[in-house]
Amino acid sequence: MAMITKASAATPAAGDEVEALTAAACMFKSLGDPTRLAIVQHLALGEHRVVDMTAHLGLAQSTVSAHLACLKDCDLVASRPVGRASMFSLKHPELLDLLRQAEVLLGVTRDAVTLCPTFGAAAAEPR
């Protein structure tokens, strides 16, 4: 995926730009759930089994498994069998770089994102 930035040397065709931005939007949507972010944050500490994550996050096994499946489908986490269980880990260390930069941006914008009428906390509440 090649996101378009000011630093890009070449100007892509309109279709290529939309395709690149669509892929980026899909990636951000995959990370756009607090539970998935909590799983990613926990996996940043190292490999874990689903049972470890359910205990740590206080979530049902089915919830953790469903979110892990989403992250795996998006190629963000990997799993390997260990006996009857699977060990999950982050597949790309660049994901941690992205999350660190998101923290920097959140620090700069402060509460703007949570107050946003379209995507903020109030937008999720039933009207």
Side-chain angles (χ1 to χ4, degrees), residues 20-63:
L21 295 176
T22 298
C26 290
M27 182 193 59
F28 285 118
K29 284 180 187 176
S30 74
L31 297 170
D33 181 274
T35 299
R36 284 194 292 277
L37 285 174
I39 289 170
V40 167
Q41 186 175 30
H42 192 60
L43 290 176
L45 302 173
E47 279 188 318
H48 292 286
R49 298 174 303 160
V50 172
V51 68
D52 300 328
M53 288 183 271
T54 59
H56 177 80
L57 300 169
L59 298 170
Q61 179 272 326
S62 59
T63 301

Side-chain angles (χ1 to χ4, degrees), residues 38-106:
I39 289 170
V40 167
Q41 186 175 30
H42 192 60
L43 290 176
L45 302 173
E47 279 188 318
H48 292 286
R49 298 174 303 160
V50 172
V51 68
D52 300 328
M53 288 183 271
T54 59
H56 177 80
L57 300 169
L59 298 170
Q61 179 272 326
S62 59
T63 301
V64 172
S65 293
H67 286 292
L68 282 167
C70 173
L71 292 167
K72 191 172 181 181
D73 288 344
C74 292
D75 200 36
L76 298 175
V77 301
S79 65
R80 64 179 181 88
V82 176
R84 292 179 42 157
S86 293
M87 295 295 286
F88 288 86
S89 61
L90 295 181
K91 193 167 181 180
H92 307 284
E94 297 84 357
L95 178 56
L96 297 177
D97 296 335
L98 174 68
L99 296 178
R100 281 188 208 98
Q101 289 303 310
E103 286 179 0
V104 170
L105 185 57
L106 286 168

